[in-house]
Amino acid sequence: MQGQMMTLPLTTPSLLEHAERYHGDTEIVSCTLEGPVHRYTYADAHRRARQAAHALVRLGTGPGSRVGTLAWNGYRHFELYYAISGTGAITHTINPRLFPEQVAWIINDAKDEVVCFDLSFAALVEAIAADCPGVRHWVAMTDRAHMPALRIANLLCYEELLAAESADFAWPALDEHSAAALCYTSGTTGNPKGVLYSHRATLLHALASALPDALALSACDVVAPVVPMFHVNAWGLPYSAPLVGAKLVFPGACLDGESIFSLFERERVTFSAGVPTVWLSLQQHMRQHASRLPHLRRMIVGGAACPPAMMRSYEQEFGIQLQHAWGMTELSPMGTVNTLKASHLGLDDEARFAIGVKQGRPPFGMDLKTVDDHGNELPRDGKTAGALLVRGHWVVEQYFGSEASPLVDGWFPTGDVATLDPDGFMQITDRAKDVIKSGGEWISSIDLENIAMAHPAVAEAAALGIAHPKWDERPLLVVVLKPGQAVSREALLAHYAGKVARFCYPDDVVFIEALPHTATGKVSKVLLREQLRDYRWPTPSQREVTS
Ligand code: AMP
């Protein structure tokens, strides 16, 4: 017997319809490339999204068409998220920080028919347009007065397109299983792979991520997605903020510590999300200027492991909770968020902090397990590390354009190595390819990096496994010092005493000016290895000292 309840499809336009109807006067504030800060409301955004939908249909896109965006976080990008997927086309967010050849490759692989771009990427568009013959229209996301003079055919002006259309557009009935958005993985090895999000997965992800034990979003929040809308849909915030009716604040291209600080202060931001490097620059700014953000209560940090020292300093110096979350492009991206359980509330600060540094626990809809090399499930004891596998309503089943399934017995292998504890908290010990394998034992590069970054003179650190004639690999620590700070190699190595087993100590330290980062803000160990290819070990190894 079937249930007898309504079946309303879980599709993205319903989020903006809800936001207009119940939070129509709630503000969306954007830093713009043209200069002034732009302010409007959810009602305005919905009206303009409908105008943009008309324009896209007039440009010949329809169900299944891919429409690319090369854009920062801003109100036009937000409108396009809804306008594109609301017509049944697919919002393909492209990471403009990739090399131009990679951007062109991704546009061609996705078969984008139209690409909308922010003014900052005009030169990029001019450089790649000839290599993207499938793109019928390039739309500059600005008004006539700011149109760039580009030597490309088919250049259109976003504001002119909208001005020509009425807001009288009825969102078509869409199958909730149809595709809404497309995002490519950063592709540190091989070509990037496309992940095609369905409307249903996007809605369920938005619902689950807004829950109190996940991002805990509400209509009283002022949400500033610092994580770019081209990095896994800004972790779903352009969907979950309208779902709860939170005010949205988009930082545009201004992502340095000072700009973020003044935006957060002026708009009274209560919640934000970003990668560790962004929070590092905000922290440096607040320290230098002895400034505070009294309205900011919580910031999500993810995309890479957050050094515990930074979490501690945010909480103790600034009264801001830096909350760890873990995810992947393949997971829409939320896998886990670190929120405590009732049994943890009576713990002292140190014990709570020890839990807080883990990547967190999954909300309903996401399931995790760890396995050994033979696929056997490992105990959830908080100690045994193994390959992390996931399954859930918003996890990839197949990559875009690929016949082969990445799944293993219905589970997605994440490529991360992790522990799971009896409370369900997951802790990443490494990326499988970054684990340092020394004499048959595994050394966590993240542990070594976190210890280094707890040293007051260290700004950033990366640990690499470098080939060793006797031990297979040994850890090398690469360090960037804080401005005006100094510490010797010996003092840094001594800093490891008592914090990890002796055989895990790095064998050597290399000081460099800056670490290379990937287009999504992670330390690029591939580029770092390349930079250090002439490095040779000193002797003896810490391993010899101990054995
Ligand atoms: P991406 O698909 O670009 O978002 O990259 C996903 C990968 O980033 C994951 O598989 C992890 O290796 C890493 N990652 C994401 N969040 C965290 C986190 N909180 N701690 C450690 N690593 C993370």
Side-chain angles (χ1 to χ4, degrees), residues 185-186 231-232 301-306 324-330 359 414 416 428 431 446 520 522:
T185 60
S186 34
H231 186 188
V232 217
V301 60
C306 177
H324 223 167
W326 165 86
M328 303 181 75
T329 308
E330 287 89 338
Q359 273 69 12
T414 63
D416 286 323
I428 302 271
R431 211 45 214 153
I446 294 180
T520 50
K522 303 180 208 303

Side-chain angles (χ1 to χ4, degrees), residues 237-303:
L237 291 169
Y239 301 114
S240 48
L243 180 141
V244 299
K247 171 177 167 180
L248 265 170
V249 176
F250 289 124
C254 305
L255 299 174
D256 58 287
E258 185 178 352
S259 306
I260 290 177
F261 179 83
S262 41
L263 180 68
F264 282 19
E265 188 179 43
R266 193 183 62 229
E267 299 302 327
R268 302 185 165 204
V269 168
T270 61
F271 173 91
S272 186
V275 293
T277 44
V278 170
W279 301 143
L280 190 65
S281 54
L282 179 65
Q283 180 194 37
Q284 280 166 358
H285 174 86
M286 296 213 292
R287 276 189 179 157
Q288 273 162 15
H289 298 84
S291 45
R292 294 283 178 277
L293 288 167
H295 300 282
L296 185 58
R297 291 194 299 271
R298 284 180 307 120
M299 301 198 300
I300 294 286
V301 60

Side-chain angles (χ1 to χ4, degrees), residues 80-104:
L80 281 168
Y81 260 46
Y82 287 92
I84 300 167
S85 60
T87 59
I90 297 163
T91 313
H92 173 206
T93 52
I94 309 160
N95 187 340
R97 292 182 180 142
L98 295 169
F99 293 122
E101 312 81 69
Q102 288 174 303
V103 173

Side-chain angles (χ1 to χ4, degrees), residues 66-68 92 94 106-107 110-115 134-136:
R66 268 79 77 194
V67 178
H92 173 206
I94 309 160
I106 287 175
I107 289 174
K111 298 195 173 55
D112 290 338
E113 297 173 24
V114 173
V115 174
V135 178
R136 286 187 278 106

